[in-house]
Amino acid sequence: MNLVAVFLDTLDVTLPVFAMVFLGIGLKRVGWIDQAFVSTASLLVFNATLPTLIFISLIKADLDSTFDPGLMLFFLAATLLGFALSWIWAIYRVPQPERGIYVQGAFRGNCGVVGLALAASLYGDYGLSAGSVLLGLVILSYNTLSVVVLAAYQPGKSTDWQSLGLNILRNPLILAVLISLPFAGFSVRLPDWLMTSGEYFASMTLPLALICIGATLSVKALKSEGSIALGASLMKMVTLPVLATLGAWLLGFEGRELGLLFVFFASPTAAASFVMVKAFGGNAGLAANIIALTTLMASITITLGVFALRALGLI
């Protein structure tokens, strides 16, 4: 396959995902959807359709092939190293009040929506199942590290580990993973009508979530604090994905495992980072800038990344 064919094949993977994001921008601009719709739809996705998608993906999965302790261990180690690198860089390059926001924006990816959508586009059922398993670790590590770094730079805010633990345990995505494991492990078969209904309901998740991401973006917000937001965005979308993917390849990961790791690490900054910054009384505008920039950059950086990995025969 020549490079042109590889690139066109890559666009078949990434364009459907980012087309939904830009569709969300367009629908919001012409007034067909508003902030009330986005808020309601986002709650529906987080609390119901995405947990349903994860549950169905896992109970249909072959856990022998999708549950990979080595993959999960590498993801955790690479996340911790990326977090540490971002924090060290922020100490020398970012004003103290903005360091926590910079670090969170630089390492916390939107794996639950963009990462999962790309994994499904790349690898179908395997991408959904393996990505869903990995999401449990994503939620635990991202939430814990975000609280630590934000508390470190927000006066009067301390890390409430009990509250953090309860919030994580009550997270619908974590619950979906935990509830699905006995069904998958013991091969419990649900009635066909229930599975079909669940699949109808779950099928709304990724397009609806991606449209909401697009509708939330504010290009106007990019006018302030551009240098810090740009620095965090470049760290998130270029530096850390390149280092993590290179490290994974050097350790022997290849094929769909390497591709899954890349799209998770290359995902734009999670919208949840904005909510957490507001809860800590930080600069929510800067957090919004980072989310907007990384999301806009993702259509280019992820497409080029997948193309490069395919052209090199690595995925």
Side-chain angles (χ1 to χ4, degrees), residues 35 141 196 282:
Q35 191 55 48
S141 58
T196 301

Side-chain angles (χ1 to χ4, degrees), residues 184-201:
F186 295 104
S187 300
V188 177
R189 182 177 174 82
L190 296 178
D192 288 343
W193 70 266
L194 186 58
M195 285 293 293
T196 301
S197 299
E199 288 169 353
Y200 286 162
F201 188 60

Side-chain angles (χ1 to χ4, degrees), residues 54-64 66-67 129 133 176-190:
I54 291 171
F55 175 81
I56 290 176
S57 299
L58 289 176
I59 66 173
K60 290 171 61 179
D62 177 7
L63 288 184
D64 290 337
T66 56
F67 182 74
S129 301
V133 172
V177 173
L178 294 177
I179 294 171
S180 68
L181 291 179
F183 286 85
F186 295 104
S187 300
V188 177
R189 182 177 174 82
L190 296 178

Side-chain angles (χ1 to χ4, degrees), residues 22-23 27 40 44 65 90 97 134 163 207 235 253-255 304:
F22 289 107
L23 178 61
L27 292 175
T40 302
L44 177 65
S65 63
L134 201 53
S163 177
M235 179 72 77
F253 289 99
E254 58 184 4
L304 292 177

Side-chain angles (χ1 to χ4, degrees), residues 62-221:
D62 177 7
L63 288 184
D64 290 337
S65 63
T66 56
F67 182 74
D68 187 341
L71 186 76
M72 299 181 73
L73 183 61
F74 175 83
F75 182 87
L76 179 59
T79 296
L80 291 173
L81 288 173
F83 174 76
L85 177 61
S86 301
W87 199 336
I88 292 170
W89 182 265
I91 289 173
Y92 292 101
R93 297 285 184 171
V94 180
Q96 184 168 347
E98 320 296 355
R99 286 176 189 167
I101 303 162
Y102 173 97
V103 174
Q104 184 189 214
F107 91 91
R108 184 174 188 169
N110 193 347
C111 301
V113 177
V114 178
L116 202 61
L118 288 165
S121 187
L122 268 172
Y123 301 117
D125 289 341
Y126 169 81
L128 274 176
S129 301
S132 297
V133 172
L134 201 53
L135 269 183
L137 185 59
V138 167
I139 295 164
L140 288 169
S141 58
Y142 282 5
N143 280 283
T144 302
L145 295 174
S146 293
V147 169
V148 169
V149 74
L150 289 173
Y153 292 105
Q154 299 301 324
K157 296 288 184 177
S158 59
T159 305
D160 184 351
W161 293 106
Q162 182 177 0
S163 177
L164 174 65
L166 289 174
N167 285 336
I168 291 174
L169 290 176
R170 289 196 294 259
N171 188 297
L173 309 185
I174 288 282
L175 292 175
V177 173
L178 294 177
I179 294 171
S180 68
L181 291 179
F183 286 85
F186 295 104
S187 300
V188 177
R189 182 177 174 82
L190 296 178
D192 288 343
W193 70 266
L194 186 58
M195 285 293 293
T196 301
S197 299
E199 288 169 353
Y200 286 162
F201 188 60
S203 66
M204 295 190 295
T205 301
L206 297 179
L208 186 58
L210 292 167
I211 287 172
C212 287
I213 289 174
T216 305
L217 290 181
S218 173
V219 177
K220 292 181 181 179

